[in-house]
Amino acid sequence: MQTVKLAIAGFGTVGTGLARIIEENKDVIFARCGKKFSITSVLVRDLNKQRDYFPGPDVKFTNDLDEFTSSPDVDIVVELMGGTTVAKDIVTKALEAGKHVVTANKHLLAEHGIELFEIAAKNNVGLYYESSVAGGIPIIQSIKESLAANRIKSIVGILNGTANYILSEMSTNGLEFDTALEQATRLGYAEADPTFDIEGIDAAHKVVVLTRIAYGKDYPLAKLPVEGITRIEGQDIRFAREFGYRIKLIGQVRDVGGKLEAGVFPALVKYTLLLARVGGNYNAIRVEGNAVGPAFFHGQGAGSLPTGSAVLADIMALSKTDTPDNTGFCNAPIEKADILAPEFATSEYYFRFSVMDKAGVMAALSKCLAEHNISIAQAVQKGNPDDKEIPVVFTTHKASTKDVNSALAEIDKMPFITRKTLSMRILKG
Amino acid sequence: MQTVKLAIAGFGTVGTGLARIIEENKDVIFARCGKKFSITSVLVRDLNKQRDYFPGPDVKFTNDLDEFTSSPDVDIVVELMGGTTVAKDIVTKALEAGKHVVTANKHLLAEHGIELFEIAAKNNVGLYYESSVAGGIPIIQSIKESLAANRIKSIVGILNGTANYILSEMSTNGLEFDTALEQATRLGYAEADPTFDIEGIDAAHKVVVLTRIAYGKDYPLAKLPVEGITRIEGQDIRFAREFGYRIKLIGQVRDVGGKLEAGVFPALVKYTLLLARVGGNYNAIRVEGNAVGPAFFHGQGAGSLPTGSAVLADIMALSKTDTPDNTGFCNAPIEKADILAPEFATSEYYFRFSVMDKAGVMAALSKCLAEHNISIAQAVQKGNPDDKEIPVVFTTHKASTKDVNSALAEIDKMPFITRKTLSMRILKG
């Protein structure tokens, strides 16, 4: 009987969950893979912090980075600290010391993944990261193994539970953005600094990771178009509903004639799609392959035990293999993606114009859109004659981002416009 | 560069799909796993049959079983014939000859899986079967690998696309069962003999396979309670809708205090659940683990390319490993399941009584249910005074199958009952 020794960097929510699963499910884990897993050391910032769960008396807690990384008595290093500085150092040293690494750190992978995969390859060790995208949902393994025979046409996901919780609360309980964010923070769904979640940055990290595993290509984070949910108002949620849509923060990558189009953006999702039904802080991903068709995955995108479940799946997988496959393209180097310039992306759109209620407004808006090849599908104007500002909402047929950008730049300079126009893509299928 | 040689038994829908994917996606397959896959021989019944797709001039077509099985020039045998006679023979011979086997045959696995796994283990070869359950949805791999750290609490699935298509048509287009079945047959969604699909037998095979991979236990097919959809009428679909449910054919296994409760039955599924949203001939499965929580998978449960995608995933996985894991419990033998006797299962229920419209009917029904510890949640009676038969529908709080069976046996003997009462379980979460 073999015992696999684990060193864990970071013992917060996920680390604690991992330790609990190792203890509570050890019989089924042993039956499944014939191995025992034992935590030998844990790196923490504060040795004196009160903790809900301790993984047994034999586990050495340390706050000394050198002591942690130099321990020879380790098979797999588990990085659960987050961030890109100390975490990068720990992962690099572990790989160079010939140890497998399991990480939940999408930020690190998005920024430095290519470099880290190279170090792992040089040392013939695994760098696994199932938990870095969509928590407990087995999306990395599924794309890497189960859908490996497919040419991936697109991946569309709800990849950030905090943003989805906020949008769901706005939709279900009629809250405005600020109130919903406040509530998410109070309930512990949003971090003290929610920037990464609400500005789409966390989802962007995940899109970069998904793009690599699906296409074997690197779409640099810095080039990814990213838009958050902070400009969405209660009225947008209600307009969307009237038209038969729910607003979701979407992370997407798709193959458009051999080029990759990727991005993070809020979108109106047709209510009949399963993606529109993803509530609260859940995550979901739809992968479309040229053989499998659309495959949809839904589950807990974060949290102690769900993320711990994904971390442990990686640990168990690495404990069984002599030939780890980190990128899913073991026979091809990860090369720079051939990127579809964002302005050439096409989509149906939702525009909410904020205007003064004057004669000729609708005509001016329609004329400008038509001049930029944008064809209107539906239009709604609301409000009372006394309102200082009223919303005019259009949905459009397919238009290019370029045309949309130039039309809206022109419109936003028109004298009757009271605030910057909000535009969102529409996803129907 | 290594070429993996495949022999395919059966070249119908799935075999053709597999051959097409191998050809059309060969570049991405090679990039992903560094191997080429080549079909060397194909076993068919009729050599002269017109075929839509031929896998190249080097492929030897034969209708001679001995010639097919004795060919030494094969790494993996792919069994896509279905049935349990010739297919069993082919799989057994291949395993005994030290060849890996990939099969889509849930019927064979449900009936003879234990024996075949033993032969595979003795010969240290793989017997993989991702495509046997839910077509393209990667449920076997996900339970075996990605959720391996979990104690599985339950699996609830829509596992038969034909039955789901029929129920969806009854629900969406108001068809009665016979018309919907006729339409499914005409469109090729149902086979000439649809018994396995509409009587729940095909779903039962899949429940046996899922139970093994999730729990490492054998729930004998012969002991599984199985009920099909043939008694469901348009009025049941409409009543269910009124109460906020959709009717689905469910395959289920769950851990009830250490015993396994499993079965196939039509059920009313709360409309808010993703399972209720599974339309047409799609499949879906919800797995609940004690760490991951609920994970939901949705996709094409059948068809040429989706099933081919799953078959090829198994082939690619086997081509990479020296230690195939067939059962997901490589360190524990598959033992007989400790079964919860079906009469002790508990559930909320839907009853549709067919009665003559007489005074005292409602009182007699309610009294009998109360005497059997069945508590009523909602009740509806419809119909006109002139009707010879009217439906009375109750939904109940949790009741045991035993109590339900004895209550309904008693009620069905009452003089005002015109036809056997229809009962279905209710799934709310």
Side-chain angles (χ1 to χ4, degrees), chain B residues 251-367:
Chain B
Q252 176 178 278
V253 55
R254 53 183 180 176
D255 182 329
V256 180
K259 289 178 190 280
L260 293 186
E261 187 217 326
V264 174
F265 47 83
L268 278 71
V269 180
K270 186 83 187 161
Y271 79 101
T272 49
L273 300 183
L274 289 172
L275 276 171
R277 304 287 176 177
V278 177
N281 58 358
Y282 276 81
N283 280 197
I285 298 170
R286 192 188 65 185
V287 182
E288 178 143 7
N290 74 334
V292 76
F296 177 85
F297 304 78
H298 177 273
Q300 299 272 4
S304 180
L305 296 176
T307 312
S309 164
V311 170
L312 195 42
D314 277 350
I315 292 171
M316 291 170 76
L318 282 171
S319 78
K320 288 194 295 187
T321 184
D322 295 322
T323 52
D325 177 8
N326 299 326
T327 64
F329 286 82
C330 70
N331 198 44
I334 302 294
E335 289 171 344
K336 286 263 167 285
D338 188 2
I339 291 174
L340 181 79
E343 67 256 38
F344 296 122
T346 62
S347 177
E348 295 175 38
Y349 271 91
Y350 162 98
F351 301 140
R352 188 217 339 126
F353 303 105
S354 304
V355 303
M356 292 178 262
D357 191 6
K358 285 188 174 173
V361 164
M362 197 63 114
L365 293 173
S366 317
K367 182 162 170 280

Side-chain angles (χ1 to χ4, degrees), chain B residues 80-133:
Chain B
L80 303 172
M81 312 183 74
T84 58
T85 54
V86 182
K88 189 184 176 205
D89 203 32
I90 288 172
V91 170
T92 305
K93 280 188 178 142
L95 296 173
E96 284 172 345
K99 297 185 199 313
H100 296 310
V101 170
V102 173
T103 179
N105 193 334
K106 48 255 164 197
H107 189 179
L108 177 63
L109 291 167
E111 299 249 18
H112 304 291
I114 301 296
E115 181 189 341
L116 296 173
F117 286 136
E118 277 166 14
I119 300 172
K122 215 171 283 169
N123 293 280
N124 192 30
V125 289
L127 170 58
Y128 277 22
Y129 45 92
E130 179 64 77
S131 55
S132 70
V133 179

Side-chain angles (χ1 to χ4, degrees), chain B residues 21 31 63 71 86 120 164-165 187 212 236 249 264 277 284 289 331 339 341-342 347 379 387 392 396-397 400 409 420:
Chain B
I21 302 169
N63 59 1
S71 165
V86 182
N164 201 60
Y165 174 83
L187 295 172
R212 276 194 212 128
D236 298 308
L249 180 64
V264 174
R277 304 287 176 177
N331 198 44
I339 291 174
S347 177
D387 293 343
V392 173
T396 78
H397 296 297
S400 79
K420 191 170 176 335

